[in-house]
Amino acid sequence: MLEFVEHPAVGEHKASIIWLHGLGDSGNGFLPIAPELNLPGELGVQFIFPHAPEQPVTINGGMVMRAWYDIKSFDLDKRADEQGVRDSSAQVEALIQAQLDKGIPANRIILAGFSQGGVIALHLAPRLAVKLAGVMALSTYMCVPEKLSAEAKQTELAIFMAHGSADPVVPMFAGEQAFNTLKQQGYEVSWQDYPMEHQVCLEELKAIRAWLIERLSD
């Protein structure tokens, strides 16, 4: 099981948000966002921030760091190592299963991810046997989008996407391509972009908060 840090629910644990970090970060990177979002206590949300495994990353000279998959090329169609994405997706699926085993229903579980973490979230959620409350994909792109229609087990899924218009790491067109693929597949996808680089901004957090409350209040 992946190691993680968590921000406990206020009162009874009724819902879970599993939030995946980006390349070279750890679960601790997004941990401060949980109290900032200040979700209503009655939703009973527990945040789980897993740490990606440590592995060499080709584009960084083979340096070992936390990564959900290797990046061998900056070219978008070759950027995500497919086997690495599938391996990490299986590990994250085990985390989701652990929440289900605790009695948290799938429609009270959100899978979120930033950058590399977003790639895992967008890859895994449509392929799960259970339908999650939603997916949050921030400043990210898709791995093997051409395989989604054949492999998807969920035909309906609520997806929140956000991107920085000045992102030098994951260009916004990469996020837009993912958005278009998901829309064509029939998913309920919302898109937000902000005048920022590869980061999360205050206006984005406000939109995230509103979306999370909507998804977890149904």
Side-chain angles (χ1 to χ4, degrees):
M1 184 74 74
L2 291 167
E3 295 183 349
F4 57 86
V5 291
E6 61 186 14
H7 185 273
V10 175
E12 183 186 354
H13 177 196
K14 301 176 185 175
S16 297
I17 298 172
I18 300 173
W19 194 313
L20 311 177
H21 63 77
L23 177 65
D25 199 357
S26 74
N28 294 299
F30 278 104
L31 183 60
I33 275 183
E36 280 184 43
L37 286 171
N38 191 29
L39 295 177
E42 61 267 22
L43 293 180
V45 177
Q46 175 179 313
F47 286 83
I48 299 159
F49 300 95
H51 306 306
E54 293 189 343
Q55 59 180 299
V57 176
T58 302
I59 58 161
N60 287 340
M63 188 182 300
V64 174
M65 61 185 63
R66 292 198 181 277
W68 295 109
Y69 51 86
D70 189 19
I71 299 179
K72 297 184 174 72
S73 167
F74 283 112
D75 294 344
L76 185 61
D77 60 340
K78 303 184 191 75
R79 186 176 293 198
D81 171 55
E82 182 181 347
Q83 190 56 52
V85 169
R86 293 186 185 278
D87 291 345
S88 284
S89 293
Q91 290 183 288
V92 175
E93 184 174 359
L95 278 181
I96 293 170
Q97 186 60 51
Q99 295 303 302
L100 295 169
D101 293 345
K102 286 182 179 179
I104 304 301
N107 67 354
R108 289 293 179 269
I109 298 174
I110 299 255
L111 183 58
F114 175 83
S115 197
Q116 265 206 348
V119 172
I120 303 300
L122 287 178
H123 185 86
L124 175 59
R127 292 169 170 84
L128 287 172
V130 295
K131 181 185 174 184
L132 300 182
V135 179
M136 201 163 64
L138 312 177
S139 304
T140 195
Y141 56 103
M142 285 183 77
C143 175
V144 291
E146 69 279 3
K147 296 184 180 181
L148 178 60
S149 60
E151 297 180 355
K153 294 179 181 175
Q154 298 302 320
T155 56
E156 295 181 355
L157 197 59
I159 304 171
F160 175 102
M161 296 190 73
H163 217 107
S165 57
D167 192 332
V169 178
V170 179
M172 191 166 77
F173 75 79
E176 290 172 330
Q177 285 180 1
F179 169 79
N180 290 330
T181 297
L182 293 161
K183 286 289 283 186
Q184 287 163 10
Q185 194 68 24
Y187 296 117
E188 178 192 335
V189 197
S190 67
W191 174 269
Q192 293 73 213
D193 56 74
Y194 302 92
M196 63 179 185
E197 296 191 354
H198 198 59
Q199 63 196 96
V200 175
C201 68
L202 182 59
E203 285 304 307
E204 182 180 4
L205 284 179
K206 290 178 182 176
I208 287 170
R209 181 179 189 273
W211 184 81
L212 289 173
I213 291 171
E214 177 190 355
R215 296 310 310 164
L216 296 174
S217 298
D218 288 349

